[in-house]
Amino acid sequence: MAMVAGWLAGCCFGHAQAALTWAGATADAARRSPQARIVVLDIATGHLLAASNLADAAHTLAAPGSTLKPLVLYGLLASGRWDPSRRIACTRKLSIAGRSLDCSHPAADPMDAREALAWSCNTYFAAVGATLTPGELRKLLAPSGVLSQTGLLSQTGLASDEAIAEFREPRTRDDESLAVLGVDGIRVTPLELAVAYRWLGMQLASHGDSVAAQVVQAGLDDSASFGIGAAASLGGASVAGKTGTANLGPGTPSHGWFVGLVPADKPTIVVAVYLPVGHGANAAQVAGDLLAHSPLGRARP
């Protein structure tokens, strides 16, 4: 009993020390980006290690943009519903239901799933969305069963009086594509998105030998090393993650997201950043700043 009590005390002490360290790094990043909603989760326990603007993170509902792409892709690959080797050509020009969703990635040959995730190709994922059947997207974002719940469309328990995600069932192929791109029909909180990526991190670790895990892991690694989210890696910590940018429609300001798993090879931490005004690349910069001053970054004394 004494040994067990000592082990538990050590675990609690270690968690407290980690929380203090991450809290300091988060505070440093928040001073530079005071509007950012920042959430840092322990993957093993689900505990909140640090946060900036926690009340806002619990109540802000915003379109998640491209941060949905890894979640949708993992679910489709895990169920054998999508061939990751399938290549889709992109002209970088895309319009769906009157909304301009042009790609920002460099000109490229037709992309497979890993490449499309790394470069956040809207054309590729719009094509993915157009193949979904009625009700399938909800099942991908909120699978049934306690052990498989992503937490994306429900309260997380990380803060009091949380807002709950809004989700509208797509009715047409255009609706499906817009929802998969995270720009219409769904709004989530930063807390919900952080918890969803905790779930994704555990799935990637538990099923590391599967095609689904390997493709999504590689795409997230690439995204945060040389792809759209590369700024997140500038702090010296290895990170696998995804950016997202969305707005309420033409003429409205964009908001930006970055959600990352750290360290990339064996994640123990989820870092989620939401900027009420900005782009995904800006949110990735905030994440890079935070990670630079974290226990894993190069700026630590």
Side-chain angles (χ1 to χ4, degrees), residues 122-135:
N122 285 344
T123 298
Y124 186 98
F125 282 94
V128 171
T131 69
L132 298 184
T133 58

Side-chain angles (χ1 to χ4, degrees), residues 118 193 202 270 289:
L193 198 54
M202 292 190 294
V270 175
D289 187 27

